[in-house]
Amino acid sequence: MNQERAAIFNTTEKMFHENHLHKKGYDQELLNRFYQSMAVESMVAHDSYCCEYFPGSQPFPTPRQNNSFVGAPQHNPVQTINVPCPENCRPHNLTGALALADWTLC
């Protein structure tokens, strides 16, 4: 994996000097515009449900807590995931209390 810290820093400086919009989804627009080309070659993706579609993705290192997900709004507990993740998207080196059979909600 290539970590081009200078390129990341320079891109961040450019991004912060933009005249920003305050609208829903603007953060994703910024990430696409400024970081997509860089991320394609140097990102690490944690995906517990669609790992077969994204080669190189890794399972989360810890099980899901409180039926929530990374990035879930804490003020809206209705947004939860109750579907077990596929076994091949779960960590493969689990033992003891974190046995694979017990790790269903990734």
Side-chain angles (χ1 to χ4, degrees):
M1 186 172 359
N2 187 5
Q3 292 187 1
E4 306 228 4
R5 294 176 190 262
I8 293 169
F9 178 81
N10 292 333
T11 301
T12 303
E13 285 289 312
K14 289 178 194 173
M15 184 183 72
F16 283 135
H17 287 93
E18 289 269 313
N19 186 13
H20 294 292
L21 303 174
H22 297 283
K23 65 177 188 173
K24 184 173 177 73
Y26 184 65
D27 58 335
Q28 297 303 309
E29 290 178 29
L30 285 175
L31 291 172
N32 283 335
R33 188 160 39 123
F34 286 97
Y35 292 102
Q36 183 179 17
S37 62
M38 200 180 313
V40 167
E41 299 200 14
S42 62
M43 73 174 196
V44 174
H46 290 276
D47 189 316
S48 298
Y49 287 89
C50 301
C51 68
E52 297 163 329
Y53 302 109
F54 302 104
S57 64
Q58 301 174 11
F60 280 92
T62 59
R64 187 177 302 276
Q65 298 285 320
N66 302 321
N67 213 18
S68 192
F69 56 91
V70 173
Q74 296 304 304
H75 63 277
N76 188 0
V78 174
Q79 288 186 310
T80 59
I81 294 179
N82 260 344
V83 179
C85 58
E87 282 193 31
N88 56 344
C89 293
R90 300 176 196 175
H92 298 290
N93 57 349
L94 302 174
T95 58
L98 294 178
L100 185 61
D102 299 328
W103 191 305
T104 57
L105 298 175
C106 297

